[in-house]
Amino acid sequence: LIAGSRTSAIQAAVHTIHSTLMAEPDDFTGASPDNRVYPLTGESAADFASRVRPSQTTTSDARWIQINCPSDAPGVKRSDGSKCGTSTAMVREIIKEYKEKNITPPPDGPRMVKSECFKRIYGAAVSCGDTCGKWMLFVKPEKADGVWTRIAVAVEQGKLGESAKISPFGGDAAHIDAVLICVYVADFSDLEECERVLRGIKNLGLQSSCAFKADALTYAGLESSTLAPLKLANSWQLHLDILRKVFPPKGDENPKKKGFDWELLGRTPK
């Protein structure tokens, strides 16, 4: 395939996957064709979370357990599935340029600073309408079932974003430190919406390690393991600022108020 055809094929595949994720749930008890488990038609979020428990579901059963916000829920912003993954080629090119200017070989000319790199990546995604992102919560295995139930019910009630998912860990609890829960935001450039969703998470009484990641990075194949050698993180500074605003660092302004545990995130704000 030529580059243009390959990019079109990727975009078509991403659109198909996104359309499946945002569709109304079907009547099934096992994983769907996209290797995810959804609620049965008419099944409440609480019943779904009780029936399909992350601690009792294995990754061989499904890659994710997911719930979508009802289509008639007011005040929840929706993403455009046809735009998902459309910035992939541009994002990869920006990362390639960043590596050439900063990593290998040692540059003779001016470097590309991290803030410029992320500004260009996010700018490319916004220009394509590829703006879906997620707050990622890292929860202790012994608390994951309970936290997921609260998240699922809140999504059903329209109190969070357009969807949420959790990685099943049946049989692995003794071998992992944390379970990943993703709460989706339709538009990472809408900082008010990003803050609204994060405050919704906080209102559930959750005090979990958390970070933000744009799907544009995921579709481009950029995971934490690939970003770390580049000394880049998943979260853009604006979303770290929101995180600090909603979950003040310990000892910040109001020491009596328990804030976000920044040490769990692996970074301490200045």
Side-chain angles (χ1 to χ4, degrees), residues 103-236:
I103 310 299
T104 54
D108 295 326
R111 293 174 177 266
M112 182 192 296
V113 297
K114 288 187 287 186
S115 60
E116 179 188 352
C117 180
F118 268 100
K119 185 176 181 179
R120 289 180 58 185
I121 288 173
Y122 279 56
V126 169
S127 69
C128 295
D130 188 9
T131 58
C132 190
K134 62 259 186 183
W135 287 108
M136 302 185 299
L137 286 67
F138 302 93
V139 183
K140 293 180 179 179
E142 62 269 24
K143 296 182 178 181
D145 283 355
V147 171
W148 171 242
T149 298
R150 281 184 279 172
I151 291 287
V153 171
V155 169
E156 179 185 55
Q157 295 174 343
K159 295 180 179 179
L160 297 178
E162 61 179 347
S163 64
K165 66 184 183 182
I166 184 171
S167 177
F169 61 98
D172 295 330
H175 308 291
I176 58 175
D177 296 323
V179 178
L180 174 62
I181 298 177
C182 297
V183 180
Y184 279 85
V185 178
D187 185 356
F188 64 70
S189 66
D190 185 342
L191 300 184
E192 290 184 357
E193 175 70 357
C194 292
E195 182 175 337
R196 182 193 69 78
V197 173
L198 187 60
R199 288 195 180 279
I201 293 172
K202 182 179 182 180
N203 290 340
L204 297 177
L206 302 181
Q207 293 287 340
S208 171
S209 179
C210 180
F212 189 88
K213 185 178 183 182
D215 274 5
L217 293 175
T218 301
Y219 291 135
L222 298 170
E223 304 295 338
S224 296
S225 59
T226 54
L227 290 169
L230 306 179
K231 298 183 178 180
L232 293 172
N234 284 326
S235 296
W236 195 23

Side-chain angles (χ1 to χ4, degrees), residues 22-92:
M22 294 299 107
E24 294 297 325
D26 296 320
D27 285 314
F28 55 77
T29 55
S32 65
D34 63 346
N35 201 22
R36 304 179 186 221
V37 178
Y38 299 92
L40 301 173
T41 300
E43 183 177 35
S44 70
D47 288 343
F48 172 55
S50 176
R51 177 175 63 86
V52 186
R53 301 191 181 203
S55 64
Q56 298 176 7
T57 306
T58 69
T59 53
S60 61
D61 296 324
R63 178 66 184 87
W64 296 101
I65 300 169
Q66 178 161 329
I67 187 166
N68 299 325
C69 180
S71 57
D72 58 352
V76 178
K77 197 167 184 177
R78 311 286 175 165
S79 59
D80 183 350
S82 66
K83 303 293 181 65
C84 292
T86 53
S87 67
T88 297
M90 297 171 66
V91 171
R92 287 176 175 170

Side-chain angles (χ1 to χ4, degrees), residues 1 3-17 84-86 88-89 92 219-220:
L1 291 175
S5 299
R6 184 164 54 248
T7 299
S8 298
I10 292 173
Q11 293 174 3
V14 168
H15 176 47
T16 299
I17 292 172
C84 292
T86 53
T88 297
R92 287 176 175 170
Y219 291 135

